[in-house]
Amino acid sequence: MFRYHSARKTALGKAFETAELIYHAAVRELRKSNGNAVLGLVIQIVQSLILVLTMYFLFSVLGLRRIAVRGDFMLYVMSGVFLFMTHIKAIGAVAGADGPTSAMMMHAPMNPIISIGGAALASLYQQVLAATVIIFFYHSVITPITIEDPVGVLGAFLLAWFSGVGLGMVFLSARPWQPEAMSIIIPLYQRLNMIASGKMMLANNTKPDMRAIFDWNPLFHTIDQGRGFMFLNYTPRYTSIEYAVKFGLVCLMIGLMAEFFTRKHMSASWNKRR
């Protein structure tokens, strides 16, 4: 009598229903960390602002401003920090999404894909808001800025988020099998990207042997390409948008297949022995 029965819907109706569920899952994800939604968003903005100011003063103290692109130095710092934050936050949000044994999965028509989509969307919303507020404040209060190709910069921003979602899917599918290992690997990868993302350097100015250390990282390619779109005086020669896109797609496909396999075998009793 109390079992959920879905009415027969068209493909378009099912798509709208899924989009609505993802939206509500994203709202729940945003309110989960802080009961006050506005305060939670302010905290995200402050986190990004603190990292921007930290990197600015670090560049100034170490005398690294000479390696930056000719143009607004604060904009150069923000171009690296915002893409870095978007990438690692997407990984953390997706990797920490509700799994098949979560209590939320008992409420039809909820499923893990909706939970993952909601977590990814909430992460993107937070980072877009933080970047928009900080750039608007800097442009209107401190000094006017000019972005050479705003659409290209937005594309690089979304690509950093997309590659983070792909990697997060891989970590999410592996977490039920090795939760202790994933609790170490995920933060380690996020901390490693403080250096491996290449947000403190330009690929064109990096020696080949040093560049080879960072070349595996899709975020390194995305940040460098994003700076090419942002500044008139910089043209990336050693990074590729295609690599970041292919990396994200491959990780997403692997993560989806692994998540489906895990969902078929996952049991709530797995964690009882730990």
Side-chain angles (χ1 to χ4, degrees):
M1 181 174 63
F2 298 105
R3 184 175 299 172
Y4 173 80
H5 293 282
S6 60
R8 187 178 298 275
K9 294 185 176 71
T10 63
L12 183 62
K14 292 179 180 178
F16 275 112
E17 181 184 24
T18 302
E20 182 183 8
L21 289 171
I22 291 175
Y23 166 76
H24 288 294
V27 173
R28 175 180 175 271
E29 192 71 25
L30 288 170
R31 297 184 65 91
K32 190 165 62 175
S33 58
N34 197 301
N36 189 320
V38 176
L39 181 59
L41 295 174
V42 169
I43 291 173
Q44 292 294 328
I45 295 171
V46 171
Q47 286 179 349
S48 298
L49 181 60
I50 289 174
L51 187 55
V52 167
L53 295 176
T54 301
M55 295 300 298
Y56 178 84
F57 287 115
L58 184 63
F59 271 88
S60 301
V61 170
L62 297 179
L64 298 176
R65 296 185 62 160
R66 57 185 174 79
I67 68 173
V69 180
R70 285 183 297 166
D72 191 289
F73 178 67
M74 180 60 83
L75 195 60
Y76 170 81
V77 173
M78 288 190 288
S79 67
V81 169
F82 290 151
L83 269 67
F84 163 76
M85 289 290 290
T86 302
H87 184 76
I88 66 166
K89 290 290 186 178
I91 291 174
V94 174
D98 293 325
T101 60
S102 170
M104 282 298 295
M105 299 305 128
M106 299 180 183
H107 301 276
M110 187 67 175
N111 60 63
I113 298 301
I114 292 173
S115 175
I116 293 166
L121 183 61
S123 170
L124 179 63
Y125 172 76
Q126 288 175 329
Q127 297 311 309
V128 167
L129 179 66
T132 302
V133 169
I134 293 173
I135 291 176
F136 177 77
F137 178 82
Y138 182 73
H139 175 76
S140 58
V141 176
I142 299 177
T143 181
I145 59 174
T146 301
I147 297 177
E148 177 64 19
D149 184 358
V151 176
V153 173
L154 179 61
F157 186 89
L158 293 175
L159 185 55
W161 169 79
F162 175 71
S163 59
V165 170
L167 275 169
M169 283 293 302
V170 175
F171 292 142
L172 174 67
S173 60
R175 193 182 65 186
W177 302 94
Q178 287 295 331
E180 294 87 358
M182 288 300 107
S183 65
I184 298 173
I185 293 173
I186 295 172
L188 179 63
Y189 177 83
Q190 292 173 323
R191 304 296 183 274
L192 181 64
N193 265 297
M194 284 292 294
I195 300 174
S197 63
K199 65 179 180 293
M200 300 176 66
M201 65 187 72
L202 295 173
N204 289 3
N205 299 340
T206 308
K207 296 180 179 179
D209 53 344
M210 180 64 68
R211 193 166 57 246
I213 300 175
F214 304 99
D215 211 30
W216 61 271
N217 193 345
L219 189 56
F220 175 71
H221 292 259
T222 307
I223 289 177
D224 194 61
Q225 290 290 323
R227 285 170 173 162
F229 292 123
M230 182 170 287
F231 295 100
L232 176 64
N233 300 313
Y234 184 68
T235 303
R237 298 195 303 268
Y238 302 107
T239 55
S240 168
I241 286 288
E242 289 79 6
Y243 174 80
V245 172
K246 291 176 181 177
F247 187 97
L249 286 173
V250 169
C251 287
L252 185 64
M253 292 300 104
I254 293 174
L256 286 171
M257 290 188 293
E259 196 280 332
F260 179 77
F261 178 81
T262 302
R263 193 192 319 170
K264 300 289 285 185
H265 295 81
M266 182 66 178
S267 171
S269 62
W270 280 15
N271 294 322
K272 300 301 181 183
R273 67 177 184 268
R274 294 187 172 91

